[in-house]
Amino acid sequence: MKLTDIKTILVAGAGTMGQQTAILAAISGYRVVMYDISDEILAKGVEGIRKNGDRMVRVGVCTSDACSLALEQITTTSDIKAAAVDADLVMESIPEDPELKGKFFGAINDHCKPETIFTTNTSSLVPSMFADRSGRPDKLCALHFHDVTLSKIVDVMPHPGTSSQTMDLVKAFAESMGQIPIVLARENNGYVFNNMLMSFIGSALSLAAKGVTSIQEIDRSWMGVMHTSVGPFGIMDSIGLDTCWKVTSYWANKRNDTQAKANAAFLKGYLDKNMYGIKTGQGFYTYPDPIFSRPDFMTM
Ligand SMILES: NC(=O)c1ccc[n+]([C@@H]2O[C@H](COP(=O)([O-])OP(=O)(O)OC[C@H]3O[C@@H](n4cnc5c(N)ncnc54)[C@H](O)[C@@H]3O)[C@@H](O)[C@H]2O)c1
């Protein structure tokens, strides 16, 4: 398959990242079919796509007209067969669970064309955990996005069975959407940026979980020295505290790391109160106007 053969993208998962990747692909001229497990979830996903589209217009990724046209290119379905039948490339953004991802890729493999390329947006897993279950390991690699309104950096990462043709094609596909692919030569947990980010977030969580100081003081410290508009806790709110918790608790258990387990428990306290970050309007901060965005945050 060549880049020019890629016309229809299946975006699996209508959550935080599915919404972003769907609008990005549509703005880039691709037809998009968004798939999730229920029509109610898809309806919320479409609302989120519109909001992401508005954000992209605001930050200058595209014009308002281009965004409206792109929205018309997106259809939704909760029928896996209908989602898969025309797909040339799959961008998977379903929850961070190797079993779930393996099951999903196995299921769409039955309905997709033999040449369809599969990509996963996993943050903390690696594609080899579910590559065999996809039925086409040579055509599967990671295409991992960061927040598409803030960054154009994407990781393109193979597992040991990914073909070089798949890597070249997925790199070209990323570039066709205006992204800057960081191509990894081998599988690595957390890719490149996330590897650094997880240490940063872990360190911020440890400070808070140990009661060293408040969330606001930790963010103020980082923002004040680095001159950034957001600190580690604001970043976690934008990632989603559920995703942060899943990643933290996975590695805490795998490494039997006592402090990381305490950090996961600290995050769980927020989830138990339905505080998931920007997506629920409340996390470490309250949205849409978090106090760290106020001009007087540094001196409060
Ligand atoms: N949130 C981030 O900042 C971020 C960034 C990069 C990558 N990722 C990765 O993207 C993936 C999704 O994360 P998210 O934050 O968008 O999660 P999310 O919880 O916001 O969305 C996941 C969506 O997948 C749907 N889903 C569940 N099971 C499904 C199935 N079997 N088939 C189809 N859809 C299904 C859910 O209903 C939900 O709408 C994860 O692997 C995560 O690690 C997240």
Side-chain angles (χ1 to χ4, degrees):
M1 187 188 277
K2 303 185 297 298
L3 180 62
T4 47
D5 297 325
I6 299 179
K7 311 264 188 235
T8 302
I9 311 299
L10 162 54
V11 171
T16 306
M17 287 315 288
Q19 294 165 14
Q20 292 190 18
T21 53
I23 188 73
L24 178 69
I27 284 170
S28 310
Y30 294 101
R31 274 193 302 271
V32 174
V33 180
M34 177 175 261
Y35 165 73
D36 207 304
I37 48 176
S38 82
D39 292 334
E40 292 75 42
I41 294 174
L42 284 164
K44 280 196 194 133
V46 170
E47 266 174 53
I49 289 175
R50 287 185 194 286
K51 284 186 191 149
N52 275 290
D54 291 344
R55 276 173 75 197
M56 285 172 125
V57 172
R58 273 203 306 278
V59 299
V61 174
C62 65
T63 63
S64 171
D65 286 352
C67 181
S68 303
L69 276 176
L71 289 169
E72 288 171 19
Q73 296 304 310
I74 303 174
T75 56
T76 63
T77 180
S78 54
D79 174 347
I80 195 162
K81 197 170 168 187
V85 68
D86 288 328
D88 301 307
L89 186 143
V90 176
M91 294 202 284
E92 169 270 313
S93 284
I94 71 170
E96 195 71 336
D97 173 344
E99 180 56 32
L100 194 68
K101 289 190 193 277
K103 218 167 146 187
F104 166 76
F105 280 117
I108 50 160
N109 182 44
D110 294 340
H111 304 298
C112 281
K113 299 176 280 192
E115 63 272 25
T116 302
I117 300 290
F118 289 178
T119 68
T120 174
N121 195 12
T122 182
S123 299
S124 61
L125 309 173
V126 286
S128 59
M129 287 176 166
F130 39 85
D132 285 344
R133 292 183 67 187
S134 76
R136 54 182 83 191
D138 58 318
K139 295 192 175 62
L140 170 79
C141 70
L143 173 59
H144 172 254
F145 293 83
H146 302 90
D147 183 325
V148 302
T149 57
L150 298 176
S151 157
K152 290 182 184 303
I153 297 291
V154 291
D155 296 294
V156 181
M157 183 176 81
H159 65 90
T162 308
S163 72
S164 59
Q165 291 90 333
T166 297
M167 287 295 287
D168 291 345
L169 186 53
V170 173
K171 176 175 180 273
F173 171 67
E175 286 167 341
S176 78
M177 296 193 296
Q179 304 301 291
I180 301 166
I182 305 293
V183 179
L184 281 79
R186 45 160 290 206
E187 260 190 357
N188 186 53
N189 269 117
Y191 308 93
V192 177
F193 174 77
N194 267 14
N195 214 295
M196 300 185 278
L197 178 68
M198 287 322 291
S199 303
F200 171 60
I201 281 176
S203 177
L205 280 170
S206 296
L207 286 165
K210 285 195 273 190
V212 173
T213 186
S214 69
I215 282 157
Q216 285 89 343
E217 289 291 71
I218 297 166
D219 276 358
R220 256 193 285 273
S221 167
W222 186 266
M223 291 162 69
V225 176
M226 296 303 288
H227 298 281
T228 56
S229 59
V230 63
F233 288 94
I235 291 173
M236 282 185 256
D237 275 349
S238 73
I239 294 170
L241 301 194
D242 49 341
T243 300
C244 293
W245 172 75
K246 272 184 201 146
V247 175
T248 305
S249 76
Y250 175 83
W251 287 109
N253 291 325
K254 191 156 173 139
R255 293 174 180 150
N256 199 18
D257 178 331
T258 311
Q259 182 58 52
K261 283 183 189 175
N263 295 351
F266 181 80
L267 283 166
K268 186 73 172 38
Y270 285 82
L271 300 185
D272 290 345
K273 290 185 228 148
N274 199 35
M275 294 157 83
Y276 283 58
I278 292 177
K279 62 176 129 182
T280 56
Q282 181 71 55
F284 294 117
Y285 296 95
T286 305
Y287 297 86
D289 295 310
I291 51 167
F292 66 76
S293 296
R294 292 191 199 155
D296 60 346
F297 178 63
M298 296 307 291
T299 53
M300 265 177 172

